[in-house]
Each structure stands twice: as C-alpha cells, then as structure tokens.
Amino acid sequence: MAIRALPQELIRAKRDGQALAPEEIGELVTGVSDGSLSDAQVGALAMAIYLNGMNAAETVALTEAVRDSGEVLVWRGLGQGLDLPGPVLDKHSTGGVGDLVSLVLGPWIAACGGYVPMVSGRGLGHTGGTLDKLEAIPGYDIAPTRERFRRLVREAGVAIVGQTAELAPADRRLYAIRDVTATVESLPLIVSSILGKKLACGLDALVMDVKTGSGAFMPTHEASFELASTIAEVASRAGTPTTALLTDMSQPLAPCAGNAVEVREAIALLTGEKTGDKSGDESGDKSGGRLLEVTRTLAAELLLAGRLARDHEGALALLDERLASGAAAERFARMVAGLGGPADLLERHDRHLPGAAVVRPVYAERSGRVTRMDTRALGLAVVTLGGGRRAPSDGIDHSVGLSGIAALGEAVDGERPLAWVHAGSEADAERAASQLRAAIEVNDVAPGDVVLPTLIQDVIRREAP
Ligand code: URA
C-alpha cells in the first residue's frame, strides 16, 4: 500500500473507516511524540480511532509504535556482569479496589528467580494505585535514577517505580488528549496505551489481570473478556508471550482498601501472618483469601511463561516454598530499603506506616448476610476520605482507608461490622460510614442463598508467534 504522507490524509482515511498501514501508524505516532502533530490533529485521530476502531494488525502496529516512541529497556547483551541471569517478567492489572497484587507478586516472583522491573501508576478514579500505596512507606523513592533502578532489579530481583519521561512518551501525550476529548473508552487505544508502556520495559513475558464486576474499569463480563483477549493477542503478536486472567472485582480483592492499610496487608501475606496461625486484621481474618489466590495464580502463570517451573503444580510448589521460607518477604524488604525506605519495615511496620486519627467499626443497619456490593462506591469512599485524588495535583492522606471489609456471603451483626473506617476526623468517618452502608447490601438469607462470583473466570494464554 502506498503511504499517504500528510497527517490530515491519514486522519481522513481513518475517519472514513479505512485501515492504516503499519508504516502510516508509525508516522502518526512519531508525530505525536515529536510534537509535529498538533493537539487538534491528535484529538481528531483519537476520535477517528474511537469511532471506527482498528483491526488486529493496526492495533499491533499502534502498540509497537507507542512502545518504540521512547527508550525500550534492554537487560541482556550488556556485558560487564550487567546481564540478568533469569527471565524478565511483569504483571499489569486494569485496576480495582483492594488490589495490592503487585506488592506481593513482584517480590514473590523475584524470590523464584524472575526479574521484575515494574513500572506502575497512581490511583485512577475509584481504583487505587500501586505508587500511592508505596509512597505510604516513608522515604520510598518512586523515581530513582535509571542506574539505581537497574541495579535494584539486578540485586533484589524487583523494583516497583513510576513511569519516566523516557518511557513511551507518545502515550503520555495521547492519553492526556484522550482524557479531554472523550476518547478514553476505545479498545485499540486502551490496549496500545497499556501495552506500549509495559512492553517498553523489555519483558520476556507478561501476565495481565483484567477485572470484571462492579469495581472494574469495564464492569461487564463481555467487555472485560474482549479486553483480556485483545491484550493477550496483541502483546504476543508484538513479541511478548502474554497470559490474561479475567478475575472478579464484584467485591474488594483484599479485605482492605487504602494506602498504608494495603501495605500492611501485603506485609501480613508476605511474612505469613495471614496463613492462619497468627492474629489477623481487626475482623480476625487470617486467611489471605481471594488476594492470595489471585496473586498465586498470576505468579504461577509468570513462572511457567518464564520457564522457571515445568508445569502448573511445580510453579505452585515453588511459590509456596518461597513464601513459607520468608524469601519473598526478604525481597520486598530489599526493594524497600534499596529505594530509600526503612530497613526494618517488615518488623516495625506499625512504627513506620502512618495510622489514621480515627479508626472505628461501621455496623450494618440490620443483621444478615452481605448479598451484594457496589465495589466502585467503596473505592470512591476511600477517595472521599482523602486516600485518592479529586484533581491530578492533589496530595493524598496515606493513613486513611477501610479494613476488615466483610466478604460477600459473610454474616454481619452487632458484633461483626461491615468494615473498619480509618479517617482523618470523626466527621470524615461518619461520611464514610454512610457511604459504606449504602454500598454494601445486607439481607436476611441463608448462607447458600448468596451466589458467590467465580474468582478466576478465564485464563487466556498466547505464545509469541
Ligand atoms: N490505563 C492506561 O494506561 N491506558 C488506558 O488507556 C486505560 C487504562
């Protein structure tokens, strides 16, 4: 196909529903990152893609162009003892509430021989962000120099940091323009945005956790499934074997949501405090529950893709051994200390992590069982408490949030509250309590009458071609 050189001709072609050639997409993305396309042209292009979509080949080309618009990390062929001796692995989630998988999975994979250069984001809308959680740890530097980041990935096996200006710069501009031109909700734009950033980290394999349910970015099973399968397909065609899991977000994944409270939960899982033989959280929960199951399943997929285990059972056995031995916790501690956090965070988290001024239980108006949750509303309650942002420039209060959140099907009464609120003031706690009561439905039903959603609903594996 002849290349149509003028950007307005390319935008016109997309506007009229034609497919663009990979070279044409490359030209446009170069224009996005070098500024030769105006904001008006980028907005028009985004709208043309939003309205007419892209076929698979176009989406792959867009993803590769976004990935290659800046630095692409290389971990081998460096010489001087700098090469990583194991597979480079990573995970991404479409975001949820009480989703602290990254905090546990990164160190856990590192303890199994993988290397995890994880570039994470901040909270978006009702969802929490890994960077915000890590910033609850005093001193933790989410923006280390490139050398420090590389050294830590080599030495600790894991470093979770923020996006740099050099990584996928085309996405930074495109995303900002999509945000104000009503073009965020487009499958090819979402997929290329997520994958462009992730694949720029030089991965050997990726696992995607695509959420579905009331707290998900795409709440319906159909939309989430389409996103999961498109991501797996496009990433593998772009050269990175990818497995996408579709997991339930019709209730918070962990029994807590917030920043410091989620770091505490991660430490409890990593140190074994939540395997059943020591005290749990305020509710007495010691199980690790759904969070542990999803994290373990995602991690097993990564170990398989990185050839660190021969089969699924072998992957699970390795993971269980490295958790029980304390090796995963030790990697977490090394990452935190290596990025400027306290060296004794695991032993003294109560001293280092901020606690809220007011911590109090919220009881349901009637006894019964939890039959439904508006998970998105629970996430928004955390934002309202100050644990998330109203505007991008806002600061956040890392100490606030929810803990001991009752699960779907669980009985609540005058002794077992819906959750504990961690707030900056009594007035904030009262407001959050009302939001909680409105978001969690309680009915007088028998235990078997509550239909519990399947936690892991689909697993879509795609090898690189
Ligand atoms: N997250 C991203 O990074 N990009 C999108 O387009 C949507 C979610």
Side-chain angles (χ1 to χ4, degrees):
M1 183 194 292
I3 298 181
R4 295 159 277 209
L6 285 176
Q8 54 268 47
E9 288 305 303
L10 298 178
I11 297 165
R12 177 199 287 266
K14 193 73 250 175
R15 181 201 70 186
D16 292 344
Q18 295 172 32
L20 299 176
E23 299 77 9
E24 294 175 327
I25 292 170
E27 288 286 320
L28 286 167
V29 172
T30 301
V32 173
S33 42
D34 70 13
S36 59
L37 251 63
S38 68
D39 280 0
Q41 287 176 315
V42 178
L45 175 66
M47 186 58 83
I49 295 173
Y50 176 91
L51 292 173
N52 291 317
M54 280 185 142
N55 64 33
E58 287 179 291
T59 311
V60 173
L62 183 60
T63 300
E64 290 176 336
V66 172
R67 175 194 66 194
D68 299 339
S69 66
E71 181 184 21
V72 178
L73 299 179
V74 175
W75 300 98
R76 299 208 183 79
L78 301 167
Q80 302 172 327
L82 296 178
D83 286 12
L84 295 183
V88 183
L89 306 172
D90 199 3
K91 163 255 160 192
H92 186 71
S93 154
T94 55
V97 179
D99 175 9
L100 55 114
V101 168
S102 295
L103 300 184
V104 178
L105 178 137
W108 206 354
I109 292 290
C112 295
Y115 290 84
V116 187
M118 191 182 283
V119 173
S120 292
R122 298 203 174 276
L124 200 63
H126 67 285
T127 66
T130 301
L131 288 188
D132 293 332
K133 294 168 201 177
L134 287 168
E135 280 186 331
I137 302 170
Y140 191 103
D141 179 8
I142 56 130
T145 61
R146 190 185 319 178
E147 288 64 40
R148 195 179 185 196
F149 174 58
R150 283 188 161 281
R151 193 165 5 97
L152 195 59
V153 170
R154 212 168 45 250
E155 289 169 8
V158 55
I160 308 180
V161 299
Q163 195 188 347
T164 63
E166 291 83 34
L167 221 63
D171 177 64
R172 190 180 291 261
R173 180 154 182 242
L174 190 49
Y175 195 88
I177 292 176
R178 285 167 60 206
D179 200 23
V180 293
T181 53
T183 51
V184 168
E185 304 90 340
S186 148
L187 199 59
L189 291 175
I190 293 169
V191 168
S192 56
S193 168
I194 291 174
L195 289 178
K197 291 188 284 268
K198 277 284 152 185
L199 303 191
C201 293
L203 309 179
D204 294 317
L206 173 68
V207 66
M208 275 295 306
D209 183 7
V210 177
K211 308 290 189 186
T212 184
S214 64
F217 173 54
M218 290 193 169
T220 68
H221 184 276
E222 293 69 30
S224 303
F225 184 84
E226 195 185 358
L227 178 62
S229 47
T230 308
I231 284 179
E233 191 68 37
V234 169
S236 60
R237 283 178 63 171
T240 305
T242 294
T243 299
L245 268 67
L246 202 65
T247 68
D248 178 60
M249 189 41 74
S250 53
Q251 57 183 327
L253 186 57
C256 60
N259 296 294
V261 290
E262 292 196 38
V263 175
R264 276 197 198 95
E265 184 76 11
I267 292 173
L269 276 191
L270 285 164
T271 57
E273 219 177 281
K274 277 227 164 176
T275 52
D277 53 357
K278 290 197 201 147
S279 65
D281 59 21
E282 292 87 343
S283 67
D285 169 30
K286 303 175 215 165
S287 68
R290 295 184 305 280
L291 170 65
L292 189 58
E293 191 180 336
V294 168
T295 309
R296 191 168 170 261
T297 308
L298 288 163
E301 290 294 334
L302 269 185
L303 295 189
L304 279 176
R307 301 186 202 292
L308 289 167
R310 249 204 306 263
D311 53 30
H312 193 68
E313 287 65 39
L316 293 178
L318 179 61
L319 285 163
D320 292 346
E321 192 272 312
R322 297 297 151 93
L323 188 66
S325 71
E330 193 269 331
R331 296 299 178 130
F332 181 81
R334 254 202 257 177
M335 172 181 79
V336 168
L339 286 168
D344 59 351
L345 182 69
L346 293 188
E347 301 78 25
R348 301 231 165 92
H349 52 87
D350 277 341
R351 177 184 296 183
H352 295 298
L353 294 172
V358 177
V359 180
R360 70 165 171 88
V362 176
Y363 294 96
E365 273 151 3
R366 55 182 291 179
S367 296
R369 286 184 188 277
V370 177
T371 48
R372 208 183 69 82
M373 285 196 205
D374 181 348
T375 311
R376 186 168 181 278
L378 292 178
L380 290 176
V382 175
V383 176
T384 312
L385 281 165
R389 296 177 183 78
R390 289 161 202 264
S393 57
D394 285 355
I396 60 175
D397 182 346
H398 293 98
S399 71
V400 301
L402 309 171
S403 66
I405 305 168
L408 282 175
E410 195 172 341
V412 291
D413 53 25
E415 287 185 6
R416 170 53 166 122
L418 295 171
W420 277 256
V421 170
H422 301 234
S425 68
E426 286 293 348
D428 285 356
E430 199 45 54
R431 190 170 345 108
S434 306
Q435 287 174 294
L436 232 69
R437 289 191 192 100
I440 303 179
E441 195 178 275
V442 174
N443 285 297
D444 190 10
V445 293
D449 288 346
V450 185
V451 182
L452 297 179
T454 307
L455 184 56
I456 296 167
Q457 303 187 0
D458 279 294
V459 179
I460 303 159
R461 295 189 186 91
R462 293 286 181 274
E463 301 281 332

